[in-house]
Amino acid sequence: KNPSWQKTVLRMLKVVATLECVRVDMMQNENKSDHHCHLYEGKNNILIVRRAQEFQMTLQFNQPVNPSDNFQIEFYIGIDDNVLNGTKIIISFDGSQTGNWTGRMIQQQGDACVVGITPSADAIIGKYYTSVAVIGSNGISRTQKDSGTDFYLLFNAWASNDEVYMPNEEERQEYVMNENGFIYEEESGDGRQWFYGQFVEGILDACFQILDDSHMPLVNRGDAVKVCRIGSAMMNSQDDRGVLVGNWSDDYSLGTAPTFWLGSDQILLQYVNKGPVSFAQCWVYAGTFNTFLRCLGIPARVITNFNSAHDNTGNIVTDLVFNSVGNQLELNERLTRDSIWNYHCWNEAYLSRLDLPADQNFGGWQVVDSTPQETSDGYYRCGPCSVKAIKEGMLGYQFDAPFVFAEVNSDVYKYKLNSQTGKTELLSVDTTYVGMKILTKSIGETNEPMDITETYKYPEGISKDEETMRNAERTYKTHLQYDDEQGVAMTLEIPQERVKIGQNFQMAVVFRNLSEDTRTIHGFLVGSTIYYTNIQRAQFKQLTFDVTLKPMESEIQVVVLAQNYMPKLGCQSNLRFVVTAKSMENNQDMTAIQIVNLKGPELAFAMSGPAKVNQEIFVKVEFTNPFPFSLHDVRMAIQGPNFISYREKLYSEISTGASITWIESCVPTRSGNTMIYAVLDCSVLGNVQGNWAVSVQA
């Protein structure tokens, strides 16, 4: 019963006790903020950091750490972890180092140590597990596995030694951090808002599941080029049960119409739970792929190329074949294997391209395309392909440069087929039609388009453009000679203002007689409804005309009636007009093609008052049916990040002239600017959408 003796014994026991780590604090809030990962949502607040940048941990021991104590932190990824291939990382604090990760002791206070860990710039991205090991005379003791010490490691656009490094902060905020995007479907800048939602709860796990489902080896997941290439293949389900099922028909009864999606989050979460998601077209692939890239830390943006060539024959030329029927020419849809889409969307990822020769300077923006058009190394995928290489016509560098070059810069060769002999005659070459304009969203809180055409190609006709074409033709020997003597020039002029669905309009076939002689012209016009891929759905108009041209301009007015095209439209909104004509005096054949993109009706939006955090507010979406027929089984959806969760509503019928009003209650959860998205879709009307910027007060 001697208290002083008991204290002495306890002190002795404490001195000889084995060092043990009793708690690990991953300092989630501080680290996530420092690593620009604070927007990632999740109930368990797991640590998310970026490679090539230090993060801190606090280690709580059972007693103060002495200089003679030896402990190390071990990080694991995957099942068969190995120090040699980077799947097991050991950080020691005794001056020794294994691997490229580094650690340092920042502070020691009592029983606690604050340490700094810097993952290497080429570290594998993914989910790591943490263990603290104390090495003593009796062996090694490790902390038990604890999900609270797990963390995700991502690419780092802020680190100059990471291959995805982007030097400009405004660009990093747009191309890594911005959840809201705009995808262009018109050269004028019209299109659709798209919610990327890379920070939504469950999306980061979905992106890593996609890599797991691809069976991509862990050791390759530190290479951004390989991750982009695998992601390109896995966004489509064509050959690997990837994320999205394509559908370019009118029948979406077994899934969701591509025009009905508001963003990527619903798609990726559905994929995780149910497998491949139906249905997609190019903008859906591009929007979802953009989410995947930004979520993993790779700077990315969606691109729209207008008059985008699809080179099926692999010769970087777009060949159109016309039948000769008497004095008329008709586009031969069967023999024309190449096609020119009204527009096509893909992605660009910002990479340094360490896999290409350094002296070529092919880093920067890279084309990556997940729409399943052609196979590359056995899978439906495309890229990464250097935009700079495309501009210079340097098509020998991986990946898929010839296909991308043809999309933006191929010449259009128009042939006349002799049905009796089977031979073709070259009519003309159009060097400006393909890649008419290439757009992406401008930086900041705006939907204004940024024209990036000149990042892909030089202006037509200048010496650098001719040098690019020579470089490409040296590889593919595509150049053909043809007689460019015209005599008569023909163009097809369409209304400058957007034509609304259900509206009559006028267009003009304009001829210019370049000769000094009178010319007699026999012409033929065909109007068709088409898919945006330029595939014909149905013909609705044929017109034969004759005109006598003196040496001056002349035009033929063409009236297009809604009553003719509406029954053939379906849920599409594109009309194609093909005019062929022959100058009878010199047998000159002429062709012209124009696309009219019809504008759908709009949705109206209103709120019950100013939006404030954690206060209920009501939002209202309205639609009026402007058509002379009823709409059936009309599906609507609304969503607003941090404002209103995704919701759907079905209307069995909306009669002619009738209006519907949809009111929903919501409670905003975060202050600042956000977007509200809404869409309406049915079997005879697609692409009706609305989006509204909303400011939420604190």
Side-chain angles (χ1 to χ4, degrees):
K1 295 182 179 181
N2 187 335
S4 61
W5 179 82
Q6 289 177 336
K7 289 180 181 178
T8 302
V9 171
L10 289 171
R11 272 200 306 272
M12 292 175 63
L13 288 172
K14 191 171 184 181
V15 168
V16 298
T18 304
L19 184 71
E20 182 182 348
C21 182
V22 294
R23 193 172 73 86
V24 177
D25 179 4
M26 301 302 286
M27 301 174 66
Q28 283 93 337
N29 293 337
E30 299 90 336
N31 286 321
K32 286 171 79 171
S33 179
D34 290 343
H35 284 246
H36 310 278
C37 294
H38 54 288
L39 295 179
Y40 286 93
E41 299 170 0
K43 294 184 177 67
N44 57 2
N45 194 29
I46 191 171
L47 177 62
I48 304 168
V49 290
R50 302 183 188 276
R51 65 187 191 178
Q53 180 179 338
E54 185 179 78
F55 66 92
Q56 296 183 9
M57 302 167 56
T58 298
L59 309 181
Q60 186 75 43
F61 291 92
N62 62 336
Q63 61 189 36
V65 177
N66 295 316
S68 60
D69 288 325
N70 188 4
F71 72 91
Q72 63 190 32
I73 303 176
E74 300 170 350
F75 302 113
Y76 311 85
I77 186 170
I79 300 172
D80 300 318
D81 49 88
N82 188 321
V83 172
L84 297 177
N85 63 16
T87 57
K88 179 178 181 179
I89 312 296
I90 299 175
I91 305 292
S92 300
F93 298 89
D94 58 0
S96 64
Q97 180 179 334
T98 57
N100 296 324
W101 292 40
T102 60
R104 68 186 181 105
M105 183 72 70
I106 296 175
Q107 182 183 11
Q108 275 186 264
Q109 189 169 3
D111 299 345
C113 298
V114 178
V115 299
I117 307 295
T118 304
S120 64
D122 61 353
I124 296 166
I125 63 161
K127 188 176 185 179
Y128 283 79
Y129 309 98
T130 304
S131 177
V132 178
V134 176
I135 304 163
S137 56
N138 295 326
I140 299 177
S141 65
R142 289 183 171 87
T143 55
Q144 291 185 342
K145 189 172 181 180
D146 177 9
S147 62
T149 62
D150 297 344
F151 67 95
Y152 289 103
L153 188 65
L154 308 178
F155 294 107
N156 193 350
W158 284 262
S160 59
N161 52 343
D162 195 307
E163 64 181 308
V164 304
Y165 173 63
M166 178 172 265
N168 183 283
E169 176 61 18
E170 276 191 334
E171 292 183 343
R172 291 192 293 250
Q173 289 299 318
E174 178 67 35
Y175 300 129
V176 180
M177 302 297 290
N178 195 351
E179 289 187 279
N180 297 300
F182 199 87
I183 302 176
Y184 300 98
E185 298 171 333
E186 302 284 341
E187 290 183 47
S188 63
D190 285 347
R192 66 177 60 244
Q193 198 83 31
W194 192 267
F195 178 52
Y196 297 125
Q198 65 266 35
F199 304 123
V200 169
E201 182 176 1
I203 297 302
L204 183 59
D205 282 320
C207 292
F208 282 120
Q209 181 174 321
I210 289 167
L211 294 181
D212 291 341
D213 291 348
S214 75
H215 305 295
M216 182 184 194
L218 280 171
V219 294
N220 291 340
R221 299 189 192 183
D223 187 328
V225 169
K226 292 178 180 176
V227 169
C228 286
R229 193 147 170 79
I230 288 290
S232 169
M234 284 298 296
M235 284 306 112
N236 67 74
S237 66
Q238 200 81 355
D239 40 31
D240 46 23
R241 284 190 56 78
V243 177
L244 284 157
V245 179
N247 186 339
W248 281 266
S249 74
D250 273 334
D251 183 6
Y252 309 119
S253 57
L254 297 179
T256 296
T259 50
F260 193 69
W261 297 112
L262 293 171
S264 313
D265 57 331
Q266 298 298 313
I267 292 170
L268 289 169
L269 294 174
Q270 186 175 326
Y271 168 77
V272 168
N273 292 320
K274 299 181 180 178
V277 179
S278 302
F279 291 106
Q281 292 175 6
C282 71
W283 69 89
V284 183
Y285 287 112
T288 307
F289 195 14
N290 216 57
T291 299
F292 172 87
L293 294 169
R294 288 188 186 182
C295 186
L296 297 181
I298 300 173
R301 60 189 186 183
V302 175
I303 305 302
T304 303
N305 177 38
F306 293 95
N307 294 352
S308 187
H310 181 172
D311 177 22
N312 278 300
T313 49
N315 62 352
I316 70 169
V317 167
T318 300
D319 300 313
L320 303 182
V321 180
F322 292 82
N323 291 333
S324 177
V325 183
N327 291 327
Q328 296 176 182
L329 292 175
E330 295 178 355
L331 182 65
N332 189 316
E333 304 261 3
R334 185 178 63 84
L335 290 182
T336 300
R337 294 182 58 197
D338 297 337
S339 61
I340 303 174
W341 294 21
N342 300 352
Y343 64 89
H344 178 48
C345 301
W346 59 71
N347 303 80
E348 286 179 355
Y350 199 85
L351 309 172
S352 59
R353 290 310 296 270
L354 302 175
D355 57 316
L356 298 182
D359 61 335
Q360 295 293 343
N361 191 28
F362 284 152
W365 289 115
Q366 312 288 318
V367 172
V368 281
D369 189 351
S370 57
T371 300
Q373 292 181 295
E374 298 292 327
T375 58
S376 173
D377 295 335
Y379 291 90
Y380 280 95
R381 59 184 168 186
C382 181
C385 170
S386 167
V387 173
K388 292 177 184 175
I390 296 303
K391 185 171 184 176
E392 302 300 332
M394 307 292 283
L395 307 187
Y397 296 95
Q398 57 187 18
F399 298 88
D400 309 308
F403 184 79
V404 176
F405 181 88
E407 288 184 298
V408 300
N409 209 4
S410 63
D411 293 339
V412 180
Y413 282 63
K414 298 177 182 177
Y415 294 91
K416 180 172 67 174
L417 174 68
N418 186 316
S419 58
Q420 293 181 328
T421 64
K423 294 181 179 179
T424 56
E425 172 192 342
L426 184 60
L427 296 175
S428 64
V429 176
D430 191 332
T431 61
T432 62
Y433 187 75
V434 166
M436 188 72 72
K437 185 182 284 188
I438 305 172
L439 299 180
T440 192
K441 178 187 171 298
S442 294
I443 291 173
E445 293 183 3
T446 174
N447 290 336
E448 287 298 310
M450 178 166 57
D451 190 332
I452 58 169
T453 310
E454 291 196 11
T455 66
Y456 280 83
K457 55 186 185 179
Y458 292 100
E460 186 69 29
I462 70 170
S463 59
K464 290 291 289 182
D465 173 60
E466 293 171 356
E467 183 182 335
T468 292
M469 299 309 291
R470 283 196 298 272
N471 287 338
E473 288 166 356
R474 258 199 301 273
T475 308
Y476 281 83
K477 298 182 174 59
T478 61
H479 189 68
L480 296 176
Q481 297 293 328
Y482 71 102
D483 184 4
D484 198 25
E485 184 180 346
Q486 289 186 317
V488 177
M490 179 181 72
T491 57
L492 187 54
E493 295 184 354
I494 60 176
Q496 290 189 341
E497 286 192 17
R498 289 283 302 278
V499 178
K500 294 181 180 179
I501 295 176
Q503 184 179 341
N504 301 333
F505 62 95
Q506 278 195 327
M507 53 196 303
V509 185
V510 179
F511 296 94
R512 194 166 67 255
N513 187 353
L514 306 177
S515 74
E516 298 179 355
D517 303 317
T518 299
R519 298 293 192 198
T520 305
I521 305 298
H522 179 76
F524 182 55
L525 178 146
V526 175
S528 307
T529 58
I530 58 168
Y531 304 97
Y532 83 98
T533 56
N534 220 330
I535 302 300
Q536 179 175 290
R537 184 179 187 275
Q539 279 191 18
F540 68 86
K541 187 177 185 67
Q542 290 190 359
L543 175 68
T544 302
F545 58 88
D546 294 286
V547 60
T548 301
L549 297 178
K550 293 180 179 179
M552 64 176 74
E553 193 171 271
S554 180
E555 65 179 46
I556 301 294
Q557 290 292 330
V558 179
V559 176
V560 181
L561 300 177
Q563 66 187 38
N564 293 333
Y565 70 75
M566 285 297 290
K568 309 284 188 180
L569 200 57
C571 63
Q572 306 303 313
S573 56
N574 304 292
L575 308 179
R576 182 184 68 197
F577 296 90
V578 179
V579 180
T580 59
K582 179 185 283 290
S583 174
M584 305 307 291
E585 284 78 8
N586 63 347
N587 283 326
Q588 177 196 344
D589 290 303
M590 295 161 276
T591 61
I593 301 174
Q594 276 285 15
I595 308 295
V596 175
N597 299 299
L598 302 173
K599 184 177 178 64
E602 297 180 347
L603 300 175
F605 175 79
M607 292 195 306
S608 58
K612 297 181 180 180
V613 173
N614 296 327
Q615 291 189 19
E616 185 182 43
I617 189 172
F618 294 91
V619 296
K620 178 172 68 175
V621 179
E622 293 183 303
F623 172 77
T624 300
N625 178 8
F627 302 114
F629 49 84
S630 294
L631 303 175
H632 296 277
D633 297 324
V634 179
R635 191 178 174 194
M636 289 186 69
I638 188 170
Q639 180 180 19
N642 307 303
F643 195 98
I644 180 171
S645 59
Y646 181 85
R647 300 172 195 183
E648 278 192 30
K649 198 172 182 69
L650 183 67
Y651 294 88
S652 59
E653 181 181 3
I654 305 177
S655 303
T656 300
S659 297
I660 56 155
T661 301
W662 183 12
I663 299 176
E664 284 285 347
S665 165
C666 53
V667 178
T669 58
R670 188 196 298 170
S671 63
N673 297 327
T674 188
M675 295 292 301
I676 306 295
Y677 306 83
V679 65
L680 177 148
D681 201 88
C682 66
S683 61
V684 295
L685 183 65
N687 218 12
V688 178
Q689 55 190 313
N691 50 82
W692 305 274
V694 175
S695 179
V696 180
Q697 302 170 17

